[in-house]
């Protein structure tokens, strides 16, 4: 009777996402310290620091990777550079491109920076040149040459009056450019490896440079001399001068001398005193982290790649090699916020904390990540030494367990007040990777683990854990059972062979997953445990197109949620054996699946690096969502019908109303494939409204970036630019930007066509030469090669004209004497017996001559070719009998060629 009041879950919708926003490259923080700008392939993502959400996304239409970007000092303009050698200026608040122009560089742009006035933009290219652009007046002001190799570092002097630009390239020197004279005034030589960052003092008289040669140099910019070199014993990627009028005694700053902070390959922040070259403070690593050997520093996943100082909030920001962004609060360098830019494959995920405020995530690494859902801030937990494979949580006390390939199981506890998580227990008795772990549900008393060593272990937990952060309780297994001899634990980066997962729910339900290699899906089986040695099969659910990876209970055990390798999450009702909902939002295997305590939310984690929180939606929200989907389906069906009926004007208008450039392109392609396509396209486009033509022009900019679609874009542009007056075109919103964006790609398409034309002409030339060579090679070796054109080829045989004339008359007489009633074969034996071998050779040469001339005069008609062949045959037959060269002796009759 109790189950009759249970409300079944029928609908889950996406509530929030934790997705990759940074995959390496440049990072910049806005001047107001509210946003983080970072590259992610062909996009620049704007992350709001307070919420941890991606609020804006700037992406190039050509899908080319962004090589560099720069945010102006007033936080108004964002300029990006892509591999297509195109610079774009953005209103990043609206994610709208306001201007685009072609970079003059001959290689991709590697570095960019704005001057303090946000007027000048400097770009350093892989071609060794530096360009300066006036972004207000929109023209190039300087072209600075002389840097060898890639210009990977650019920075203006903070004092505007000096008009100095500092750059560094492959020669490890720091060049100082005077923008008034456009000359390099000096080269600061001190480093023996790449210079990574520069930091200026408040008065602008002192500069500190860092490099991968494990040295920091203090420069006096007045004398342009090195005051001191500081050996830091690690490859330094970032250096920051600490504020002078701030109490930083907690990190070792006890004098008024100049101090600076370094970040590098060791993954820790260190504070140095410039005058004495002495390290006064070293950041303490977590006790559970593993020290990095000196030879492994270059591949240290915790190595730091960027270092920033935020003066308003007095914070330091670091970026790690694992794409994590960490905020530290001065003066104590306490960790304030952490953002994970890239999670790699998500192997497991669970809700954690009061009211499910956090989630704990196991990714394809040895670290655990605990996200706060409200702010997306993350704690990174170090402890395991190999990939973490599985997680499970206890019902209370914010405890959870993890197991990994390092053959260990760990228990973690979250502090209810601070939200900090620490390891409280550890067990290491398995002899192989531990692939699954399950926690007791009634109280935190034991855990069960399953390992690739084919054993199950039960571990008892203490009643209380030590409050000392450094003490970790050592677990001992209470019992060990051998199970599933033929089962191997999954290798998460390879194809799954088989897997067993244990889920304990009270003492009654045991749920197993078994992979059948003979079929492409897993059967989900529910087994009711009546006693320890008796099991009864209840039901089997089939529906996934690939392996089932996770199963959980929802709705007080009356429903199931399953996730599979097909990227789907399915909701099942146990009583009716029915799939009531399929959730499709992932593009890869869904390894992680967990439900909240109230079953009103679920969280999924996938191999596509995305973590999605789903929330149970109301019927009204579901109806609205379904109405939108049905409306989209109806429009798509109507569009297909219009295309089938060849009503292209209505089809094009409907496609534009959907605001789907790909759909519009489909209609354009359909028009261009029909009869009289040029006239039909022209008449169709001219019937569109002004706003539709404006949208079409915007779409053409996107299509023109792809060589496959450029012909369609150029056909549309030809109609628009031919029939629309310039005054009307200029009234289109963003017309100037669109036209500027069309120019560089159109030039690229024309250059490609020119290259193809030249290549085709070269092939044609080579073919003609090969034909000439083929004709000459067919001549008898005793004769000289004929190098004259084929149209003026000389006869292949030299004939005595007088003898040829007489022989011709004689032959005609002989032919006339031969009666028609006589057998032709007999006539041939009597008259041509002595010349038989010579005629065979002549026939072969005549055949070759006809082949050569037929290839040369391929443009003639068949009748002309046949007549020419007959003339050549007659001349050859008449001339062969009158050769000035005597024929060879006849062979015996038995050897005569027939």
């Amino acid at each position: 009777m109790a189950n009759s009041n249970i409300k079944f879950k029928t609908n889950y919708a996406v509530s929030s996402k934790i997705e990759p926003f940074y995959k390496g490259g440049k990072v910049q923080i806005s001047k107001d310290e509210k946003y983080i700008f970072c590259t992610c392939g062909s996009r620049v993502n704007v992350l709001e620091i307070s919420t941890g959400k991606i609020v804006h996304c700037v992406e190039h239409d050509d899908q080319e990777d962004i090589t560099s970007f720069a945010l102006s000092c007033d936080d108004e303009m964002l300029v990006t550079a892509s591999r297509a050698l195109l610079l774009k200026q953005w209103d990043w608040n609206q994610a709208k491109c306001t201007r685009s122009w072609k970079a003059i560089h001959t290689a991709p742009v590697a570095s960019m920076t704005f001057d303090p006035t946000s007027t000048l933009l400097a770009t350093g290219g892989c071609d060794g040149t530096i360009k300066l652009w006036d972004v207000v007046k929109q023209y190039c002001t300087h072209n600075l040459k002389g840097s060898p190799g890639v210009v990977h570092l650019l920075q203006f002097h903070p004092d505007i009056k000096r008009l100095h630009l500092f750059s560094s390239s492959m020669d490890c020197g720091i060049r100082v450019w005077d923008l008034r004279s456009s000359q390099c005034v000096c080269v600061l030589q001190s480093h023996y490896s790449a210079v990574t960052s520069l930091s200026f003092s408040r008065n602008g008289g002192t500069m500190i440079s860092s490099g991968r040669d494990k040295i920091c140099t203090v420069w006096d910019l007045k004398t342009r001399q090195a005051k001191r070199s500081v050996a830091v014993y690690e490859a330094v990627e970032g250096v920051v001068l600490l504020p002078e009028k701030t109490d930083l005694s907690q990190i070792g700053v006890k004098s008024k001398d100049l101090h600076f902070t370094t970040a590098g390959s060791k993954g820790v922040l260190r504070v140095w005193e410039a005058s004495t070259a002495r390290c006064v403070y070293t950041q303490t690593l977590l006790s559970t982290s593993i020290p990095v050997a000196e030879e492994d520093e270059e591949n240290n996943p915790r190595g730091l790649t960027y270092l920033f100082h935020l003066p308003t909030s007095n914070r330091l920001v670091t970026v790690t090699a694992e794409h994590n962004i960490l905020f530290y609060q001065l003066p104590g360098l306490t960790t304030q916020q952490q953002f994970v830019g890239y999670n790699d494959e998500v192997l497991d995920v669970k809700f954690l904390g009061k009211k499910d405020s956090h989630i704990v995530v196991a990714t394809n690494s040895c670290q655990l990540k605990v996200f706060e859902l409200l702010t997306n801030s993350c704690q990174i937990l170090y402890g395991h030494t190999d990939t973490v494979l599985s997680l499970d949580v206890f019902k209370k006390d914010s405890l959870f367990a993890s197991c990994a390939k390092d053959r260990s199981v760990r228990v973690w506890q979250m502090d209810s007040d601070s939200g900090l998580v620490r390891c409280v227990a550890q067990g290491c008795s398995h002899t192989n990777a531990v692939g699954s772990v399950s926690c007791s549900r009634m109280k935190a008393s034991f855990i069960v683990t399953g390992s690739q060593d084919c054993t199950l272990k039960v571990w008892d937990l203490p009643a209380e854990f030590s409050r000392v952060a450094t003490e970790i309780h050592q677990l001992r297994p209470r019992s060990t059972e051998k199970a599933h001899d033929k089962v191997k634990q999954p290798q998460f980066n390879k194809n799954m062979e088989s897997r067993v997962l244990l889920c304990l729910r009270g003492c009654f339900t045991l749920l197993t997953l078994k992979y059948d290699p003979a079929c492409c899906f897993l059967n989900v089986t529910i087994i009711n445990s009546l006693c320890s040695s008796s099991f009864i099969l209840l039901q089997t659910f089939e529906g996934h197109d690939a392996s089932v990876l996770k199963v959980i209970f929802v709705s007080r055990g009356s429903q199931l949620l399953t996730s599979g390798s097909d990227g789907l999450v399915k909701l099942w009702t146990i009583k009716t054996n029915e799939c009531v909902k399929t959730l499709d939002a992932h593009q890869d295997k869904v390894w992680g699946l967990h439900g909240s305590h109230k079953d009103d939310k679920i969280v999924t984690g996938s191999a596509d690096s995305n973590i999605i929180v789903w929330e149970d939606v109301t019927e009204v929200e579901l109806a609205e969502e379904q109405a939108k989907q049905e409306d989209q389906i109806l429009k798509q069906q109507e569009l297909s019908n219009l295309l089938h009926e060849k009503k292209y004007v209505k089809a094009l208008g409907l496609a534009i109303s959907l605001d789907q450039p790909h759909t519009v392109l489909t209609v354009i392609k359909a028009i261009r494939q029909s009869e009289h396509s040029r006239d039909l396209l022209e008449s169709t486009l001219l019937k569109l409204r002004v706003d539709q033509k404006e949208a079409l022009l915007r779409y053409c900019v996107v299509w023109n970036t792809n060589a496959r679609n450029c012909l369609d874009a150029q056909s549309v542009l030809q109609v628009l630019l031919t029939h629309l007056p310039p005054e009307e075109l200029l009234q289109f919103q963003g017309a100037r930007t669109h036209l500027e964006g069309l120019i560089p790609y159109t030039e690229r398409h024309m250059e490609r066509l020119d290259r193809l034309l030249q290549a085709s002409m070269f092939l044609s030339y080579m073919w003609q030469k090969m034909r000439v060579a083929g004709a000459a090679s067919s001549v008898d070796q005793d004769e000289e090669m004929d190098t004259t054109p084929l149209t003026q080829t000389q006869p292949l045989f030299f004939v005595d004209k007088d003898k040829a004339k007489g022989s011709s008359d004689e032959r005609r007489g002989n032919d006339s004497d031969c009666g028609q009633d006589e057998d032709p074969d007999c006539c041939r034996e009597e008259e041509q017996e002595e010349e038989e071998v010579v005629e065979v050779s002549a026939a072969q040469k005549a055949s070759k001559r006809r082949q050569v001339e037929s290839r040369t005069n391929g443009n003639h008609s068949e009748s002309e070719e046949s007549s020419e062949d007959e003339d050549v045959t007659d001349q050859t037959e008449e001339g062969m009998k009158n050769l000035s060269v005597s024929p060879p002796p006849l062979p015996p009759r038995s050897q005569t060629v027939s």
Side-chain angles (χ1 to χ4, degrees), residues 28-224:
Q28 189 173 347
I29 300 177
S30 60
K31 197 77 171 180
D32 58 9
E33 303 178 7
K34 292 182 179 179
Y35 302 98
I36 302 174
F37 294 76
C38 47
T39 55
C40 187
S42 61
R43 306 191 306 270
V44 173
N45 290 321
V46 184
L47 187 77
E48 190 174 21
I49 297 176
S50 60
T51 62
K53 306 292 185 182
I54 300 176
V55 293
H56 301 291
C57 179
V58 168
E59 184 173 9
H60 278 226
D61 296 331
D62 53 9
Q63 301 296 319
E64 292 281 353
D65 285 347
I66 292 177
T67 58
S68 186
F69 72 91
L71 179 68
S72 61
C73 296
D74 57 4
D75 295 340
E76 294 294 332
M77 287 181 294
L78 177 69
V79 179
T80 59
S82 67
R83 292 190 180 275
L85 303 182
L86 194 67
L87 298 175
K88 287 197 173 187
Q89 182 177 323
W90 302 84
D91 179 4
W92 60 269
N93 284 293
Q94 305 293 330
K96 179 182 177 182
C97 179
T98 58
R99 178 176 171 244
S100 61
W101 69 97
K102 189 174 182 180
I104 310 176
H105 295 279
T106 59
V109 176
S111 56
M112 301 173 66
T113 187
F114 273 94
D115 77 326
T117 64
S118 301
T119 302
L120 290 178
L121 171 68
T123 59
C126 296
D127 56 1
T129 63
I130 302 172
K131 317 289 184 185
L132 270 77
W133 310 83
D134 190 324
V135 294
V136 178
K137 298 181 180 179
Q138 302 180 0
Y139 69 98
C140 181
T141 62
H142 297 75
N143 185 16
L144 308 178
K145 299 181 179 180
S147 300
V150 179
V151 181
H152 59 264
L153 178 64
L154 284 175
Q155 195 163 341
F156 283 94
H157 193 281
D159 188 359
I160 305 173
K161 298 179 181 179
R162 297 196 183 189
L163 283 178
H164 283 173
L165 176 67
F166 295 78
S167 69
S168 181
S169 56
M170 302 302 294
D171 63 347
C172 309
I174 304 173
R175 283 175 167 74
V176 184
W177 303 87
D178 187 353
L179 301 184
R180 292 186 177 88
S181 60
S182 299
Q183 298 295 324
C184 177
V185 294
C186 70
V187 180
L188 307 179
Q189 295 284 359
S190 173
H191 293 278
Y192 300 95
S193 186
V195 180
T196 54
S197 67
L198 304 175
S199 182
F200 296 89
S201 62
R202 188 174 182 181
N203 58 8
T206 304
M207 180 184 72
I208 296 183
S209 61
S210 65
R212 297 194 179 105
D213 54 2
K214 304 182 180 182
I215 291 176
C216 289
T217 304
V218 183
W219 300 90
D220 186 349
L221 294 182
K222 294 182 179 179
T223 61
R224 296 170 184 166

Side-chain angles (χ1 to χ4, degrees), residues 435-436 456 484 487-490 498-502 512-514:
S436 59
L456 302 176
H484 306 289
V487 173
K488 295 182 179 180
Q489 290 299 322
S498 55
R499 181 178 184 176
V500 169
L501 181 142
L502 297 175
T512 64
L513 303 180
K514 296 183 180 179

Side-chain angles (χ1 to χ4, degrees), residues 546-797:
S547 304
V548 176
L549 303 178
K550 279 291 178 68
V551 179
I552 62 171
F553 287 97
V554 293
S555 302
R556 298 183 184 179
S558 60
Q559 288 182 297
L560 283 177
L561 271 170
T562 62
S563 64
S565 298
D566 51 7
L568 302 178
V569 177
K570 289 182 176 290
L571 178 64
W572 309 81
T573 300
I574 296 176
K575 186 176 180 180
T576 61
N577 198 15
E578 178 188 6
C579 177
V580 296
K581 185 69 174 181
T582 299
L583 308 178
D584 184 8
H586 290 286
Q587 305 298 323
D588 210 334
K589 302 178 181 67
V590 183
W591 293 111
L593 175 66
H594 192 237
S596 62
H597 287 91
K598 296 182 180 180
D599 291 339
D600 57 340
K601 292 187 294 185
I602 61 172
V603 60
T604 57
S606 171
D608 60 7
S609 305
N610 289 328
I611 302 170
I612 300 179
V613 179
W614 308 78
E615 192 170 358
D616 190 20
V617 297
T618 63
E619 296 296 335
V620 177
E621 293 173 342
L622 179 64
E624 293 177 354
E625 182 181 355
Q626 290 179 347
K628 292 180 181 178
Q629 294 177 355
E630 291 176 358
D631 185 49
Q632 292 288 334
I633 294 174
L634 290 175
K635 287 185 177 181
Q636 293 291 343
Q637 184 62 42
E638 183 182 359
L639 180 62
S640 300
N641 296 336
L642 291 174
L643 288 176
H644 181 72
E645 297 172 1
K646 296 184 179 182
K647 297 180 179 180
Y648 294 118
V649 177
K650 292 183 178 180
L652 194 58
L654 179 60
I656 294 174
S657 66
L658 293 174
D659 196 19
Q660 296 177 357
H662 182 73
T663 305
V664 179
L665 180 62
T666 304
V667 179
I668 295 296
K669 289 182 178 293
I671 297 174
R672 295 188 68 241
Q673 291 174 0
S674 59
E675 296 182 2
H676 309 290
S677 58
R678 186 171 182 178
D679 296 335
L680 181 59
L681 180 64
E682 180 178 333
S683 61
T684 302
L685 296 184
L686 294 179
K687 292 178 182 179
L688 297 177
R689 300 192 307 268
V690 176
D691 59 328
Q692 293 174 336
K693 295 176 183 177
E694 180 180 340
L696 204 57
L697 178 61
R698 185 173 69 251
Y699 297 154
C700 285
V701 179
V702 181
W703 302 337
N704 196 48
T705 60
N706 192 330
R708 296 180 180 179
N709 306 324
C710 66
L711 293 178
D712 302 295
Q714 293 295 330
S715 300
V716 175
L717 288 173
Q718 182 182 10
V719 176
L720 295 179
L721 298 179
T722 303
H723 295 84
L724 298 182
E727 295 79 10
E728 184 177 349
L729 280 173
L730 292 176
Q731 291 179 359
F732 289 174
Q733 185 178 2
R736 180 176 180 180
T737 302
H738 299 329
L739 295 175
E740 287 179 351
L742 287 167
I743 292 173
Y745 287 97
T746 302
E747 292 177 350
R748 181 187 296 182
H749 298 323
M750 292 300 297
E751 291 173 358
R752 186 178 69 254
L753 292 176
D754 288 341
R755 291 194 299 268
L756 289 174
L757 181 60
Q758 292 176 6
S760 65
M761 295 176 66
F762 178 75
L763 287 175
S764 178
Y765 171 77
M766 290 298 298
W767 171 238
Q768 293 292 339
K769 290 298 182 182
M770 291 170 65
R771 289 168 59 186
V772 173
S777 63
S778 66
V779 183
D780 195 328
Q781 294 180 356
D782 295 334
E783 299 169 357
E784 295 183 358
M785 182 180 293
D786 184 12
T787 58
T788 59
L790 291 179
T791 55
Q792 300 176 359
T793 52
Q794 299 174 358
L796 295 178
F797 310 106

